[in-house]
Amino acid sequence: MKRATIIKLKNVWKIYQMGDVEVKALRGLDLEVKDGEFVSVMGPSGSGKSTAVNMIGCLDIPTKGAIYLDGKNIAHLEESELAQIRGRRIGFIFQQFNLIPTLSAVENVTLPMMFQNKSTAEERRQRAEKLLTMVGLGDRLYHKPTELSGGQQQRVAIARSIANDPEVILADEPTGNLDSVTGKVVMDFLAELNEKEDKTIIMVTHDRYVAEHADRIEYLKDGVIVESKEKRKRMKRRFLNGRNHNLEVRKN
Amino acid sequence: MLFDQFRLAVDGLKRRRLRSWLTMLGIFIGIAAVVSLIGLGEGLRNAITSQFDFLSADILSVEAQGLALAGPPGTGTATPLTDDLAAKIEKVSGVEAAINRYMESGTLEFNDRQQIGIAISMPDGDHRRIIETMLNVEAEDGRLLKDGDKRKLVLGSRFGQDEMFGKGVKAGDRVLLSGISYEVVGIMKRKGNFFMDAAVLANENVMLDDFGDDGTVAIIGVKVKDPSEAGRIKEDIEKLLRKERDVKEGEEDFSVSSPEATLAQLNSTLFAVQLFVYIIAIISLLVGGIGIMNTMYTAVIERTKEIGVMKSIGAKNSSVFTLFFIESGLLGAVGGLIGIALGLIFAYGLAALGRAALGVGLIQAKVSLGLIIGALLFSFVIGTIAGVLPALQASKLQPVEALRSVK
Ligand SMILES: Nc1ncnc2c1ncn2[C@@H]1O[C@H](COP(=O)(O)OP(=O)(O)O)[C@@H](O)[C@H]1O
Ligand SMILES: [Mg+2]
């Protein structure tokens, strides 16, 4: 099946001015991601991975170049339009989890829905509970982030990222702060979102094994893509079957 | 949406509980000062006005200087007014009646106990009606005096209570006024005016018989036909008395005062005091507002990362603004609520203490609903104004920059 292009970066530059020094974080980056694709971005620290992902997620704007989301150039939109895209079409997952510390898991997940202001408080709460149950936190609904382990916090963040049912999930080193076992659980949920919910996922990672879950791996160096590695779907299927078994065990 | 914002704002305040309380200190001291002092001032104003309510705009009173409350201290013995002046004053154009009024202080004895009583004379005929309306007296028990009553008294309301003699005086009881036995025919209704509530009314001719007539009077009460002419009539009477008493202008040994003028002067003094209080309170509230602003700036800096997170999950600048704005307004409003509670306690507590210490009902607090609502709104407005700039700063943060912040 031929998929449509959902994200396209064309000759994207990001230059930071640090006093007299210019830091060129991106130097003419080109990237294309198809709807429903799972792309891993790898590369040495400082190569511009986060910068690229933030730009796709409308958190930042490029110095030069074009970023198309569904064919629409978002490179020069106003903050209010960017906020709207972030809220409705993008889900973020960060290395630091970035949950609001004073809010319970459910409240953290309702927050993105609240900013869209399209549903009643009751509908939001129900959806948050459903999503949290889906990521295996049905018994931790009203815990505060400090009362949750790192892996659990990242699962709350996953639930939050899909609260408004976005097309694209951007994950910047989602397992970077987790040990390999809990990291694998988080990866399993991401893979499931890609496989079952057909979410487009762009994930930055340092971990070669984690990157293997993707359909494609892009290698970044000094702000440009230096290598691209396509994988076959079959491998992913096999991996998914194994994961489902793991999930059953983990929930108990 | 707004409710959720509200909930988030409360959350923000709770997480830095101590600082929130300290921040509100400025506001609630200011508001407590406003509420208690204005409340006491209003109470005092009411009390003073009630002392004066038996005097109306068409009444002037003439007194020898030195006897008057407002007389400068050390003016020495005043030359008393003589009882022939009333007839002369009555001839001044616009004067309806000039009435000699006698006052004698004496001991009032009942139930084997003694109290000080100020006897006030009641004239006969038409003048009686004028004085009764002037004093605005009504009988609570028994009746008021009428022409021809001999050795009969009407007593102020306090004498009807047990506190004065251990047992309240009732109509029909007999009391001794300076050793002479009188029948009490009535007790006056309470007026909330400590002078009138402790007064003793007696018919003029009875008083002159029993206490002696030396040809002098305490006050001459003047009723004018048209209150708008009171100012002109006052000047005419002054001119007449200067001639009668042979004094130069500026060296008068008497005063002609209208209660309105006296009340206006007292009111303006009170107003000055209140103005001073307002200024202190406003300074305190300003300081409180700056405190809130400072706290909100700190909060924005501390929560920079959170603001970034909120923006990354779709918060618009306006949502971030509202959040901090509400938080700041809440600091003001909660501070105001506590301030109002404290102010009420202060005002009513101080008034009660004052009454207990002085034994008179003059000191009273009166905190109106308008004052409470006004204070609450005002503190909320201070909070929101103080929050505008920090909230703007928060809302304008760049999402990536905010997310990169370590905090
Ligand atoms: N706000 C900024 N100001 C200055 N330099 C920045 C800023 N953000 C990123 N950089 C620089 O841009 C380069 C790319 O950063 P980043 O995208 O975070 O790399 P990665 O995620 O691949 O580690 C780095 O050299 C980094 O120091
Ligand atoms: Mg990075």
Side-chain angles (χ1 to χ4, degrees):
Chain A
M1 186 178 70
K2 200 116 165 78
R3 298 273 200 169
T5 299
I6 184 165
I7 295 159
K8 186 171 176 183
L9 282 75
K10 235 176 109 181
N11 191 28
V12 170
W13 288 73
K14 183 72 189 184
I15 302 166
Y16 293 105
Q17 198 72 44
M18 299 285 285
D20 292 342
V21 193
E22 277 194 345
V23 180
K24 297 190 172 79
L26 297 178
R27 310 169 184 231
L29 181 70
D30 290 311
L31 179 68
E32 217 180 304
V33 179
K34 299 228 180 304
D35 192 12
E37 228 184 338
F38 190 156
V39 176
S40 265
V41 180
M42 295 192 76
S45 179
S47 57
K49 307 182 293 293
S50 295
T51 307
V53 163
N54 288 343
M55 234 156 282
I56 295 168
C58 300
L59 285 175
D60 206 351
I61 47 175
T63 313
K64 212 169 79 183
I67 300 170
Y68 298 96
L69 187 64
D70 262 348
K72 188 185 178 196
N73 190 354
I74 56 171
H76 302 290
L77 292 182
E78 302 248 321
E79 166 59 25
S80 64
E81 295 172 278
L82 294 175
Q84 187 150 42
I85 296 174
R86 287 197 291 269
R88 294 187 188 160
R89 310 188 57 186
I90 311 280
F92 279 99
I93 299 167
F94 303 93
Q95 181 175 358
Q96 322 282 352
F97 322 133
N98 284 354
L99 301 175
I100 306 293
T102 49
L103 301 183
S104 69
V106 163
E107 288 169 320
N108 264 289
V109 177
T110 47
L111 218 45
M113 299 185 259
M114 192 191 104
F115 290 131
Q116 291 314 310
N117 201 21
K118 278 196 197 144
S119 43
T120 67
E122 181 57 22
E123 286 164 352
R124 296 200 283 266
R125 191 184 56 77
Q126 279 176 4
R127 174 156 173 85
E129 286 182 356
K130 192 184 121 199
L131 292 175
L132 284 167
T133 308
M134 217 175 82
V135 295
L137 291 174
D139 56 347
R140 295 278 189 283
L141 294 176
Y142 291 95
H143 284 55
K144 296 269 168 73
T146 46
E147 298 158 355
L148 298 172
S149 72
Q152 288 169 333
Q153 287 186 56
Q154 197 61 304
R155 282 188 271 158
V156 175
I158 291 176
R160 181 180 67 182
S161 76
I162 53 174
N164 286 330
D165 200 19
E167 301 123 272
V168 179
I169 292 172
L170 302 174
D172 195 347
E173 305 198 33
T175 60
N177 270 9
L178 302 175
D179 62 62
S180 56
V181 181
T182 45
K184 188 174 181 317
V185 179
V186 165
M187 280 315 303
D188 290 343
F189 282 114
L190 279 181
E192 184 177 302
L193 285 177
N194 173 245
E195 186 67 16
K196 293 218 176 112
E197 311 273 331
D198 217 20
K199 303 282 182 212
T200 306
I201 298 181
I202 301 175
M203 176 183 70
V204 173
T205 182
H206 276 303
D207 190 324
R208 183 158 296 278
Y209 173 77
V210 167
E212 291 294 322
H213 294 184
D215 301 322
R216 180 152 61 100
I217 304 177
E218 299 283 359
Y219 293 92
L220 223 68
K221 200 172 173 233
D222 294 334
V224 283
I225 295 200
V226 290
E227 196 191 337
S228 185
K229 210 161 91 185
E230 198 84 31
K231 303 180 70 200
R232 277 170 299 173
K233 279 276 174 193
R234 201 155 45 83
M235 280 180 72
K236 194 166 137 192
R237 287 254 181 268
R238 197 166 63 219
F239 155 73
L240 272 170
N241 292 338
R243 171 194 56 86
N244 281 338
H245 171 69
N246 273 350
L247 242 184
E248 299 296 326
V249 177
R250 206 150 279 287
K251 272 184 184 164
N252 299 325
Chain B
M1 175 71 172
L2 206 63
F3 176 77
D4 293 293
Q5 295 270 30
F6 197 81
R7 156 95 183 63
L8 281 177
V10 172
D11 221 86
L13 292 177
K14 280 205 294 206
R15 81 171 92 171
R16 47 201 160 88
R17 209 176 286 261
L18 180 62
R19 204 186 316 150
S20 298
W21 285 118
L22 289 176
T23 304
M24 286 188 276
L25 208 63
I27 295 294
F28 65 68
I29 288 174
I31 292 288
V34 172
V35 169
S36 60
L37 293 167
I38 291 176
L40 280 173
E42 275 306 304
L44 202 57
R45 188 198 296 275
N46 272 7
I48 288 171
T49 312
S50 78
Q51 303 305 311
F52 277 81
D53 75 348
F54 62 96
L55 303 169
S56 44
D58 56 355
I59 304 292
L60 299 175
S61 53
V62 182
E63 288 173 62
Q65 191 74 280
L67 287 178
L69 261 156
T75 40
T77 32
T79 319
L81 298 173
T82 48
D83 59 9
D84 59 327
L85 288 172
K88 291 172 180 161
I89 291 172
E90 211 156 58
K91 294 208 180 73
V92 172
S93 86
V95 172
E96 185 183 323
I99 304 164
N100 281 329
R101 304 200 45 217
Y102 304 87
M103 280 185 204
E104 290 291 341
S105 70
T107 55
L108 195 66
E109 196 177 326
F110 179 69
N111 196 29
D112 290 333
R113 294 202 209 175
Q114 290 191 337
Q115 290 285 347
I116 301 288
I118 309 277
I120 302 176
S121 65
M122 294 298 288
D124 284 347
D126 283 351
H127 287 182
R128 175 187 303 281
R129 192 181 38 77
I130 292 174
I131 297 291
E132 276 174 1
T133 32
M134 212 172 100
L135 299 180
N136 187 22
V137 288
E138 280 180 88
E140 169 84 46
D141 179 29
R143 61 170 174 86
L144 293 179
L145 294 167
K146 55 180 196 249
D147 289 6
D149 275 339
K150 292 275 178 208
R151 295 225 166 138
K152 305 228 158 109
L153 299 178
V154 168
L155 304 186
S157 65
R158 290 187 66 186
F159 296 112
Q161 253 121 54
D162 294 344
E163 51 172 299
M164 295 296 259
F165 299 110
K167 178 175 137 193
V169 183
K170 286 193 291 292
D173 284 344
R174 294 197 80 81
V175 296
L176 293 176
L177 177 60
S178 293
I180 303 169
S181 175
Y182 289 85
E183 184 195 340
V184 175
V185 295
I187 303 289
M188 283 184 260
K189 268 205 178 119
R190 193 184 120 81
K191 294 175 58 61
N193 167 323
F194 65 80
F195 178 73
M196 281 307 293
D197 286 341
V200 174
L201 305 183
N203 272 347
E204 184 181 309
N205 43 28
V206 176
M207 258 177 84
L208 293 177
D209 284 351
D210 287 352
F211 294 92
D213 181 5
D214 58 1
T216 67
V217 300
I219 298 174
I220 301 171
V222 180
K223 187 174 194 301
V224 303
K225 286 173 188 150
D226 180 359
S228 68
E229 279 203 294
R232 193 266 303 159
I233 293 169
K234 174 172 141 71
E235 281 170 26
D236 286 354
I237 294 173
E238 280 168 350
K239 207 182 293 170
L240 171 77
L241 289 179
R242 275 198 295 274
K243 212 178 81 195
E244 289 289 328
R245 288 164 72 88
D246 196 22
V247 290
K248 291 199 195 73
E249 191 162 359
E251 290 173 8
E252 287 90 346
D253 58 354
F254 60 88
S255 70
V256 182
S257 60
S258 65
E260 289 249 300
T262 313
L263 187 57
Q265 202 199 334
L266 263 168
N267 265 337
S268 78
T269 311
L270 255 180
F271 179 74
V273 171
Q274 279 184 319
L275 195 69
F276 178 71
V277 169
Y278 274 116
I279 290 169
I280 300 265
I282 283 182
I283 291 171
S284 149
L285 289 172
L286 257 175
V287 172
I290 292 168
I292 291 183
M293 197 185 286
N294 184 49
T295 296
M296 291 314 295
Y297 269 123
T298 314
V300 171
I301 290 166
E302 279 178 350
R303 284 193 273 160
T304 299
K305 178 148 198 169
E306 260 175 58
I307 294 166
V309 172
M310 290 204 190
K311 290 197 162 187
S312 75
I313 59 176
K316 289 191 200 64
N317 287 0
S318 60
S319 313
V320 175
F321 179 86
T322 312
L323 178 61
F324 282 88
F325 191 65
I326 293 179
E327 208 170 301
S328 181
L330 268 179
L331 273 178
V334 175
L337 267 181
I338 296 169
I340 288 166
L342 281 180
L344 286 173
I345 293 170
F346 278 145
Y348 287 99
L350 280 178
L353 265 179
R355 277 197 299 275
L358 300 176
V360 287
L362 181 62
I363 301 161
Q364 252 150 29
K366 183 173 179 294
V367 179
S368 63
L369 193 64
L371 177 59
I372 290 177
I373 292 171
L376 192 59
L377 274 178
F378 190 60
S379 53
F380 179 70
V381 167
I382 286 181
T384 50
I385 289 175
V388 169
L389 290 177
L392 263 182
Q393 175 176 314
S395 74
K396 293 233 169 93
L397 285 173
Q398 292 299 315
V400 191
E401 300 296 322
L403 273 172
R404 279 169 66 95
S405 129
V406 272
K407 275 180 179 160

